[in-house]
Amino acid sequence: MIIQLQQGLPDNLKENILQQVKAIGYKANEVKTQEGDYLVAIGKKDFDIRTIGQLPGVADIHRVSDEYKLISRKWRVSPTQIDLGDGVVVGEGQFSIMAGPCSIESERQIELVVEHLKANDVRMMRGGVFKPRSSPYAFRGMGLEGLKMFHQLCHQNGIKIITEVMQVSQIADMVDFVDVFQVGARNSQNFNLLDALGEAQKPVLLKRGISGTLEELLQAAEYIFSNGNEKIMLCERGIRSYENAYRNVLDLNAVPVLKAKTHLPVIVDPSHGIGLRDYVEDMSLAAVMAGADGVIYETHQKPEEAFSDGQQTVNFQESERLIRRMRQAYALRQNF
């Protein structure tokens, strides 16, 4: 069960609640986030939750049977909205577009992408400065100096940035220059990293593992929330299968299922999902109609010259058309 505590609860009242939870044979785990104080109580004994709910200092109490509890829609039925500041909000009731290159390559590249995004009223830019690559000889990003340049140019233009963090030791250096930390598919079950991002308090875009189940994705999000960070977005980016006609299988079944299971925003990445630029638009529109809260995709001024993932990256003309059609599709969805 989840016990929501009243704000500013005196220590003696909290201790009394903890003792009462222990007395019924449950183990209480304390969770303090940006939004509130909770006890996640784990146990199997059947009891009347009113015995806990009526205690002084308890604001609310819910039974949650899911293994993941804090991110469950059985507890919080209203959807989470994540406010990034300056009028940029991600969550149900909005449709968020996040676009940019796979890798940050140069100052001029950032300037061109920013110009394209501003012209199309897109307020979030993706771009990697630390890149996990299959080959050790491939371009692996511009590192922290690239991030600082990325941050400066985007914030001068009112654009929020999303970039991947690969290990715990990078968080402290990156945190002042990031609006949203991205956890890539390869790190989706790096529990030390998830714990640390819970403590970091910055919003997190959590990608589904390469062969991960939805249950594993939800449990990974629970790690972040239980360590103090409620600002989490889930990202469906395709899963690996035996099919080799495209890069991954973009599992759009996941969108409505996740929306039913969790109050967190659900974002779709069609670029990694299919891996072929000719089909990114079709899969983006399908994601909109499946109920996604946003789409994150790759765009570059000259995809054929991109340092990484050029085959799945759309050019600016294609991106402009995609943005227009996604907004049209979202408006149509709203009228259903």
Side-chain angles (χ1 to χ4, degrees):
M1 62 182 168
I2 297 176
I3 304 165
Q4 185 168 351
L5 304 178
Q6 293 174 357
Q7 293 288 340
L9 187 66
D11 290 343
N12 65 314
L13 291 183
K14 180 187 285 189
E15 183 60 29
N16 180 54
I17 296 168
L18 289 168
Q19 290 301 320
Q20 294 297 322
V21 169
K22 184 178 180 180
I24 60 173
Y26 277 59
K27 178 184 178 183
N29 301 272
E30 296 188 50
V31 176
K32 184 176 179 62
T33 74
Q34 307 104 324
E35 308 297 332
D37 295 343
Y38 313 100
L39 298 177
V40 180
I42 306 299
K44 295 183 178 180
K45 183 179 178 180
D46 192 24
F47 71 100
D48 186 343
I49 65 171
R50 289 175 294 184
T51 61
I52 302 296
Q54 68 187 3
L55 294 174
V58 174
D60 204 357
I61 185 169
H62 293 270
R63 290 189 188 275
V64 181
S65 57
D66 296 326
E67 287 294 319
Y68 47 90
K69 303 198 182 291
L70 291 162
I71 68 162
S72 173
R73 205 151 197 165
K74 291 178 181 176
W75 165 52
R76 184 179 290 174
V77 295
S78 57
T80 289
Q81 290 198 323
I82 300 172
D83 188 347
L84 302 181
D86 302 319
V88 182
V89 179
V90 179
E92 198 166 303
Q94 317 280 330
F95 184 73
S96 300
I97 298 174
M98 313 165 187
C102 175
S103 300
I104 296 300
E105 301 168 0
S106 67
E107 181 175 0
R108 181 56 180 157
Q109 176 215 31
I110 299 170
E111 291 172 344
L112 291 171
V113 176
V114 165
E115 182 180 323
H116 166 65
L117 297 183
K118 287 183 67 178
N120 289 279
D121 194 27
V122 173
R123 301 286 306 281
M124 287 176 278
M125 179 173 167
R126 59 146 295 138
V129 294
F130 296 104
K131 297 299 300 178
R133 304 302 300 278
S134 298
S135 169
Y137 310 114
F139 176 67
R140 297 171 70 182
M142 294 183 68
L144 187 60
E145 292 308 309
L147 175 61
K148 291 177 180 178
M149 178 176 62
F150 183 20
H151 171 268
Q152 181 180 8
L153 291 172
C154 283
H155 276 230
Q156 286 173 352
N157 289 278
I159 291 176
K160 305 298 181 179
I161 69 171
I162 305 166
T163 194
E164 184 168 355
V165 58
M166 293 174 57
Q167 57 194 42
V168 173
S169 61
Q170 293 172 340
I171 294 174
D173 290 333
M174 295 176 68
V175 69
D176 291 335
F177 307 102
V178 172
D179 296 300
V180 180
F181 278 115
Q182 176 183 303
V183 177
R186 293 172 177 84
N187 268 320
S188 65
Q189 289 187 298
N190 181 340
F191 300 121
N192 290 334
L193 179 60
L194 300 179
D195 284 342
L197 288 170
E199 296 170 3
Q201 301 290 300
K202 279 287 177 80
V204 176
L205 177 74
L206 176 63
K207 290 198 166 187
R208 184 179 180 181
I210 292 173
S211 300
T213 65
L214 295 187
E215 183 80 12
E216 289 168 335
L217 175 63
L218 292 166
Q219 290 280 33
E222 188 81 2
Y223 265 86
I224 299 170
F225 200 130
S226 66
N227 277 276
N229 189 354
E230 298 194 21
K231 298 180 180 181
I232 308 163
M233 314 168 207
L234 303 178
C235 184
E236 166 56 42
R237 48 79 68 201
I239 51 177
R240 182 170 289 170
S241 81
Y242 52 80
E243 181 55 67
N244 58 15
Y246 31 79
R247 182 172 180 175
N248 292 300
V249 175
L250 185 59
D251 182 12
L252 292 181
N253 294 340
V255 177
V257 172
L258 288 172
K259 296 287 289 181
K261 287 180 175 292
T262 179
H263 53 84
L264 301 176
V266 178
I267 310 299
V268 172
D269 177 351
S271 298
H272 286 88
I274 195 162
L276 299 167
R277 76 167 64 93
D278 289 348
Y279 308 114
V280 167
E281 180 175 311
D282 291 340
M283 299 312 297
S284 299
L285 297 176
V288 176
M289 300 312 291
D293 298 308
V295 165
I296 182 169
Y297 69 93
E298 293 180 351
T299 187
H300 189 286
Q301 67 272 24
K302 292 183 179 180
E304 62 277 6
E305 297 179 6
F307 288 6
S308 56
D309 282 352
Q311 76 286 349
Q312 65 189 37
T313 301
V314 298
N315 62 34
F316 290 167
Q317 182 178 2
E318 294 164 332
S319 174
E320 183 174 351
R321 170 185 161 92
L322 173 55
I323 293 166
R324 182 176 68 252
R325 295 196 69 194
M326 283 194 293
R327 287 174 173 157
Q328 290 171 344
Y330 180 69
L332 180 64
R333 188 181 98 190
Q334 294 296 92
N335 292 325
F336 278 173

